């Protein structure tokens, strides 16, 4: 079974600064996907960034980038130029494709607070 | 494109009462998921549908929970009777074929 661990329950960062959220996972699969989801206080879960395990290049989406270390089973999220709107709960998730649909396993989440 | 729609957004009930949640997935998404999210935790899968067939309901507490997805579009998740420990946010998600999931806003259930 897959497990996802987020060791930082809460993080704070000053506006415009950079913050890194940690995530480790455990799996025996070779083909999988990793995601970071953002869940603001309104609760709508939004996809921030995705990484295919077979790709060595780290994914980037504007101010968001990941550091994917497959051998170490580590998948951290870096947010540059933090904005107040980045305040949310962030979930790291592991995805395995199934015959029908896919299976997502979430970490416990990290609360990020961006301060002005 | 409209996102995943869920209703109601909030529900407060007394224990032992029944409750139902409704989900309308994104058009064309044949896979639908129901999750339960306890306070301060990540979502946990309850059931996964492929069209109208439940292909993974291993985590659904079948003594009190039931779900259906008639005609392979909308879905309803029911709890009967509700217990205090059922207080949580119930999330619905959908995905096209085996690709990434898109989530609805959730229903916050409070059982008194």
């Amino acid at each position: 079974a897959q497990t996802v661990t987020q060791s930082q329950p809460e993080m704070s960062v000053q506006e415009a600064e950079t913050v890194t959220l940690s995530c480790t996972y455990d799996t025996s699969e070779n083909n999988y996907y990793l995601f970071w989801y953002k869940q603001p206080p309104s609760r709508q879960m939004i996809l921030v960034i995705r990484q295919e395990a077979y790709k060595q290049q780290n994914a980037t989406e504007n101010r968001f980038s990941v550091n994917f270390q497959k051998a170490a089973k580590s998948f951290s999220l870096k947010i540059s130029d933090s904005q107040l709107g980045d305040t949310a709960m962030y979930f790291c998730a592991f995805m395995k494709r199934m015959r029908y649909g896919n299976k997502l396993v979430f970490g416990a989440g990290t609360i990020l607070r961006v301060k002005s | 494109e409209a996102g995943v729609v869920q209703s109601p957004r909030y529900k407060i009930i007394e224990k032992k009462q029944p409750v139902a949640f409704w989900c309308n997935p994104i058009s064309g998404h044949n896979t639908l998921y129901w999750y339960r999210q306890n306070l301060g935790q990540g979502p946990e899968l309850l059931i996964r549908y492929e069209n109208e067939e439940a292909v993974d309901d291993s985590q659904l507490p079948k003594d009190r929970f039931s779900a259906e997805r008639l005609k392979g579009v909308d879905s309803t998740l029911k709890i009967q009777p509700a217990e205090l420990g059922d207080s949580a946010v119930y999330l619905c998600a959908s995905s096209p074929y085996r690709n990434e999931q898109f989530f609805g806003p959730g229903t916050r259930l409070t059982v008194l």
Side-chain angles (χ1 to χ4, degrees):
Chain A
Q2 292 80 24
T3 59
V4 178
T5 302
Q6 293 179 247
S7 59
Q8 305 152 314
E10 295 187 31
M11 295 279 285
S12 294
V13 65
Q14 286 296 129
E15 199 174 5
E17 294 188 348
T18 295
V19 64
T20 299
L21 308 184
S22 301
C23 173
T24 58
Y25 59 95
D26 187 27
T27 184
S28 57
E29 302 285 335
N30 194 42
N31 295 318
Y32 52 88
Y33 299 77
L34 295 163
F35 299 90
W36 279 97
Y37 281 91
K38 170 185 176 182
Q39 189 176 42
S42 64
R43 293 201 316 277
Q44 185 93 38
M45 193 85 75
I46 303 166
L47 179 65
V48 174
I49 197 166
R50 62 178 283 168
Q51 174 80 43
E52 291 89 343
Y54 64 86
K55 289 187 178 179
Q56 293 186 339
Q57 186 172 5
N58 290 323
T60 62
E61 285 288 342
N62 301 314
R63 298 182 295 108
F64 299 88
S65 61
V66 299
N67 183 2
F68 174 48
Q69 302 290 327
K70 190 173 183 179
K73 296 180 181 175
S74 171
F75 183 60
S76 61
L77 174 69
K78 185 172 82 170
I79 306 174
S80 304
D81 186 24
S82 296
Q83 301 175 1
L84 296 177
D86 294 334
T87 293
M89 175 80 96
Y90 286 81
F91 291 99
C92 177
F94 172 101
M95 188 187 91
K96 171 186 166 183
R97 280 185 168 169
M98 310 296 284
R99 181 180 178 188
Y100 298 113
N102 55 65
K103 180 177 180 179
L104 263 181
V105 176
F106 288 86
T110 296
I111 298 172
L112 176 65
R113 295 187 175 87
V114 180
K115 299 178 179 180
S116 58
Chain B
E1 180 182 85
V4 176
V5 179
Q6 290 187 249
S7 69
R9 291 294 307 275
Y10 304 90
K11 189 73 176 179
I12 301 173
I13 60 172
E14 300 280 338
K15 63 180 180 181
K16 299 185 182 179
Q17 294 298 306
V19 65
F21 314 123
W22 175 80
C23 173
N24 180 246
I26 293 173
S27 177
H29 285 194
N30 50 333
T31 311
L32 184 145
Y33 312 78
W34 281 104
Y35 290 87
R36 177 167 58 189
Q37 185 178 19
N38 292 316
L39 186 64
Q41 298 181 21
E44 294 179 326
L45 181 71
L46 291 172
I47 190 168
R48 172 163 53 101
Y49 277 95
E50 179 69 18
N51 297 313
E52 64 274 9
E53 181 182 358
V55 294
D56 182 0
D57 63 356
S58 57
Q59 302 302 311
L60 189 73
K62 297 180 183 65
D63 56 336
R64 298 183 300 107
F65 286 66
S66 64
E68 60 183 13
R69 191 184 184 197
L70 299 176
K71 301 180 181 179
V73 181
D74 295 3
S75 178
T76 302
L77 177 69
K78 298 178 181 177
I79 308 175
Q80 184 172 9
E83 296 179 352
L84 295 177
D86 295 332
S87 294
V89 174
Y90 291 83
L91 295 169
C92 179
S94 68
S95 68
Y97 190 45
R98 299 187 299 165
N99 293 321
E100 62 205 51
Q101 299 178 26
F102 295 83
F103 286 82
T107 297
R108 180 180 295 278
L109 173 67
T110 301
V111 182
L112 302 176

